Amino acid sequence: MEISLLTPKCALVPAHFFEPDSAREALGEVVRLENKDEIKSVGIPQYDAVLVYADSVEGKYSKEIDENVSGEGTGALPEMFYILRDLGKCPEYNKILATYADGWLFLAIAQGNSLLLSNVYEAQDFTTAEYFIFLAMKSLQLNPEVSTIYWRKPIGAEDEMSLYRYFKAVDRI
């Protein structure tokens, strides 16, 4: 069983800049932290980075079965960790992987083994999430018409059909 923490309070820090003692300050520079937020970190070795994130008592969790995880529990890690972990499973050169849950779009984009974007966007509806996807792709000069977008968690049939108007394909990792 995989447990995913749906926290938008996360930041990717290059491993050579990461200082465990200043993790709260580093995360506080990019998100608003509450006193009750517990700051944690997890290594992302494939990108030579550390994901710093906030965990709070009110955090929302999402559970799903993952055939790639052994029978023992992995604990709660942020959704962005799983997005970055699974980005390499996208078979194409342009890798686009996202999750849309609880009003947040978790998005990562890579070309080959080079991570280009890792971000979380507040999106009250799927149309807004699409806007952020297209904005990110435009800023990276990627063409959706020749790209496949992958989702870690299922999206609705209507949302999937909406994406098919712009992308070569829509698939699930």
Side-chain angles (χ1 to χ4, degrees), residues 38-112:
E38 183 180 348
I39 307 306
K40 298 180 179 178
S41 62
V42 61
I44 311 289
Q46 65 270 35
Y47 298 115
D48 195 25
V50 176
L51 183 66
V52 181
Y53 63 99
D55 191 357
S56 66
V57 177
E58 292 84 25
K60 294 188 177 191
Y61 295 87
S62 172
K63 296 179 184 175
E64 70 176 24
I65 301 292
D66 183 355
E67 297 82 20
N68 299 315
V69 175
S70 64
E72 56 199 57
T74 61
L77 290 170
E79 179 63 19
M80 187 54 73
F81 169 82
Y82 296 110
I83 293 277
L84 293 168
R85 179 198 69 187
D86 293 347
L87 193 57
K89 295 178 184 176
C90 299
E92 299 182 15
Y93 180 71
N94 289 337
K95 301 171 186 321
I96 306 159
L97 182 58
T99 293
Y100 178 67
D102 290 336
W104 296 99
L105 172 68
F106 301 83
L107 177 66
I109 300 174
Q111 283 187 322

Side-chain angles (χ1 to χ4, degrees), residues 3-156:
I3 301 172
S4 158
L5 174 63
L6 299 174
T7 179
K9 296 179 182 182
C10 58
L12 203 55
V13 178
H16 59 277
F17 289 128
F18 178 69
E19 295 287 336
D21 294 337
S22 60
R24 178 175 276 281
E25 291 77 25
L27 186 57
E29 289 181 17
V30 294
V31 299
R32 174 174 279 136
L33 295 173
E34 306 292 329
N35 288 336
K36 64 186 173 217
D37 287 334
E38 183 180 348
I39 307 306
K40 298 180 179 178
S41 62
V42 61
I44 311 289
Q46 65 270 35
Y47 298 115
D48 195 25
V50 176
L51 183 66
V52 181
Y53 63 99
D55 191 357
S56 66
V57 177
E58 292 84 25
K60 294 188 177 191
Y61 295 87
S62 172
K63 296 179 184 175
E64 70 176 24
I65 301 292
D66 183 355
E67 297 82 20
N68 299 315
V69 175
S70 64
E72 56 199 57
T74 61
L77 290 170
E79 179 63 19
M80 187 54 73
F81 169 82
Y82 296 110
I83 293 277
L84 293 168
R85 179 198 69 187
D86 293 347
L87 193 57
K89 295 178 184 176
C90 299
E92 299 182 15
Y93 180 71
N94 289 337
K95 301 171 186 321
I96 306 159
L97 182 58
T99 293
Y100 178 67
D102 290 336
W104 296 99
L105 172 68
F106 301 83
L107 177 66
I109 300 174
Q111 283 187 322
N113 294 326
S114 298
L115 182 64
L116 303 177
L117 178 130
S118 169
N119 208 346
V120 181
Y121 303 92
E122 186 172 13
Q124 67 272 13
D125 54 40
F126 194 78
T127 300
T128 305
E130 284 179 308
Y131 167 80
F132 285 119
I133 293 166
F134 295 128
L135 185 65
M137 292 190 68
K138 182 177 180 181
S139 73
L140 297 171
Q141 299 180 356
L142 298 177
N143 184 354
E145 294 174 351
V146 296
S147 302
T148 298
I149 186 166
Y150 293 89
W151 294 89
R152 252 192 41 82
K153 299 186 183 295
I155 57 173

